Amino acid sequence: MSDEIRWMQRALALAQRAEAEGEVPVGAVIVLNNEIIGEGWNQPISANDATAHAEIIALRQACQLMNNYRLPGADMYITLEPCAMCAGALVHARINKVVYATAEPKTGAAGSCVDIFTLPNLNHRVSTESGLLAEQSSQLLRQFFRGKR
C-alpha cells in the first residue's frame, strides 16, 4: 500500500468519526516527512463554530505541534475538496500539496467552483491532486445525506 493511500485511509477514518458525531463526514490529515502532524474531522455543529472544518482543525493541530503558523513542505489529505475558507487557510499556511478524494461541485475551491490555489495575485501556490479513494469518500457522503432525507 502506498503512503498516499494510507494517509487518505486515515482521513476516511476521521470522516467516519465526524459522521458518528452527526457531522458531515469529512476528514483531513497533514503529513510532513512521512509523519502525520495534524488531523481533524468536521465539527462545526458540535462546536457551534462555522470554522470548525476538518482542514482548519488539522491546521491548528499541526501549527501547534510545529510551533509555527506556516507548514512548508507539508501535504494535506482530505476526503472532500476544500471550500474557499479552507483553501485560503491552506495557502496562508504554505501547504505544499493538497490531495482530495472527491470533488465538491457546490462549494469546492480547488477547481470545481473556483480555484483559490491558482489565483495569480497570491504569493503561494498549492498543488492539487484529486480522485484518491474517491469512491469510498463519495459513498460515505451519499450514505450520510440519504440518512438526513
Side-chain angles (χ1 to χ4, degrees), residues 3 29 42 60 62 76 91 102 128:
D3 287 337
V29 298
N42 267 7
R60 289 174 181 157
M76 180 176 272
V91 169
T102 192
T128 60

PDB file of all heavy atoms in Angstrom, residues 3 29 42 60 62 76 91 102 128:
ATOM      1  N   ASP A   3       2.008   5.169   0.602  1.00  0.00           N
ATOM      2  CA  ASP A   3       1.812   6.098   1.716  1.00  0.00           C
ATOM      3  C   ASP A   3       0.592   6.981   1.477  1.00  0.00           C
ATOM      4  O   ASP A   3      -0.174   7.243   2.402  1.00  0.00           O
ATOM      5  CB  ASP A   3       3.056   6.967   1.920  1.00  0.00           C
ATOM      6  CG  ASP A   3       4.206   6.197   2.540  1.00  0.00           C
ATOM      7  OD1 ASP A   3       3.960   5.165   3.204  1.00  0.00           O
ATOM      8  OD2 ASP A   3       5.358   6.619   2.359  1.00  0.00           O
ATOM      9  N   VAL A  29      -5.881  14.979   7.097  1.00  0.00           N
ATOM     10  CA  VAL A  29      -4.609  14.778   7.793  1.00  0.00           C
ATOM     11  C   VAL A  29      -3.539  15.617   7.109  1.00  0.00           C
ATOM     12  O   VAL A  29      -3.586  15.841   5.899  1.00  0.00           O
ATOM     13  CB  VAL A  29      -4.166  13.297   7.842  1.00  0.00           C
ATOM     14  CG1 VAL A  29      -5.164  12.445   8.604  1.00  0.00           C
ATOM     15  CG2 VAL A  29      -3.928  12.732   6.469  1.00  0.00           C
ATOM     16  N   ASN A  42     -14.767  17.120  10.599  1.00  0.00           N
ATOM     17  CA  ASN A  42     -15.746  18.197  10.688  1.00  0.00           C
ATOM     18  C   ASN A  42     -16.389  18.236  12.066  1.00  0.00           C
ATOM     19  O   ASN A  42     -16.820  17.206  12.585  1.00  0.00           O
ATOM     20  CB  ASN A  42     -16.836  18.009   9.631  1.00  0.00           C
ATOM     21  CG  ASN A  42     -16.531  18.753   8.357  1.00  0.00           C
ATOM     22  OD1 ASN A  42     -15.463  19.318   8.191  1.00  0.00           O
ATOM     23  ND2 ASN A  42     -17.469  18.741   7.436  1.00  0.00           N
ATOM     24  N   ARG A  60      -4.744  23.753  12.763  1.00  0.00           N
ATOM     25  CA  ARG A  60      -4.486  24.238  14.125  1.00  0.00           C
ATOM     26  C   ARG A  60      -3.596  23.269  14.890  1.00  0.00           C
ATOM     27  O   ARG A  60      -2.647  23.681  15.564  1.00  0.00           O
ATOM     28  CB  ARG A  60      -5.805  24.457  14.865  1.00  0.00           C
ATOM     29  CG  ARG A  60      -6.588  25.647  14.370  1.00  0.00           C
ATOM     30  CD  ARG A  60      -7.954  25.744  15.022  1.00  0.00           C
ATOM     31  NE  ARG A  60      -8.698  26.887  14.517  1.00  0.00           N
ATOM     32  CZ  ARG A  60     -10.006  26.987  14.545  1.00  0.00           C
ATOM     33  NH1 ARG A  60     -10.747  26.018  15.052  1.00  0.00           N
ATOM     34  NH2 ARG A  60     -10.609  28.065  14.060  1.00  0.00           N
ATOM     35  N   ALA A  62      -1.505  20.943  13.647  1.00  0.00           N
ATOM     36  CA  ALA A  62      -0.162  20.883  13.061  1.00  0.00           C
ATOM     37  C   ALA A  62       0.653  22.126  13.402  1.00  0.00           C
ATOM     38  O   ALA A  62       1.843  22.025  13.731  1.00  0.00           O
ATOM     39  CB  ALA A  62      -0.266  20.713  11.548  1.00  0.00           C
ATOM     40  N   MET A  76      -1.539  17.907   2.650  1.00  0.00           N
ATOM     41  CA  MET A  76      -2.804  17.601   3.309  1.00  0.00           C
ATOM     42  C   MET A  76      -3.593  16.623   2.459  1.00  0.00           C
ATOM     43  O   MET A  76      -3.676  16.768   1.235  1.00  0.00           O
ATOM     44  CB  MET A  76      -3.642  18.853   3.554  1.00  0.00           C
ATOM     45  CG  MET A  76      -4.967  18.531   4.247  1.00  0.00           C
ATOM     46  SD  MET A  76      -5.945  19.985   4.668  1.00  0.00           S
ATOM     47  CE  MET A  76      -5.279  20.360   6.279  1.00  0.00           C
ATOM     48  N   VAL A  91      -3.410  28.105   1.831  1.00  0.00           N
ATOM     49  CA  VAL A  91      -2.456  28.998   1.170  1.00  0.00           C
ATOM     50  C   VAL A  91      -1.656  29.755   2.227  1.00  0.00           C
ATOM     51  O   VAL A  91      -0.426  29.813   2.168  1.00  0.00           O
ATOM     52  CB  VAL A  91      -3.173  29.978   0.215  1.00  0.00           C
ATOM     53  CG1 VAL A  91      -2.234  31.079  -0.256  1.00  0.00           C
ATOM     54  CG2 VAL A  91      -3.770  29.227  -0.971  1.00  0.00           C
ATOM     55  N   THR A 102     -12.723  13.455  -3.316  1.00  0.00           N
ATOM     56  CA  THR A 102     -13.848  13.699  -4.215  1.00  0.00           C
ATOM     57  C   THR A 102     -14.136  15.191  -4.343  1.00  0.00           C
ATOM     58  O   THR A 102     -13.917  15.960  -3.407  1.00  0.00           O
ATOM     59  CB  THR A 102     -15.103  12.918  -3.744  1.00  0.00           C
ATOM     60  OG1 THR A 102     -16.094  12.948  -4.759  1.00  0.00           O
ATOM     61  CG2 THR A 102     -15.660  13.454  -2.454  1.00  0.00           C
ATOM     62  N   THR A 128      -2.387  20.449  -6.382  1.00  0.00           N
ATOM     63  CA  THR A 128      -3.523  19.597  -6.010  1.00  0.00           C
ATOM     64  C   THR A 128      -3.523  18.316  -6.820  1.00  0.00           C
ATOM     65  O   THR A 128      -3.047  18.275  -7.960  1.00  0.00           O
ATOM     66  CB  THR A 128      -4.879  20.308  -6.226  1.00  0.00           C
ATOM     67  OG1 THR A 128      -5.001  20.659  -7.599  1.00  0.00           O
ATOM     68  CG2 THR A 128      -5.009  21.530  -5.357  1.00  0.00           C
TER      69      THR A 128
END
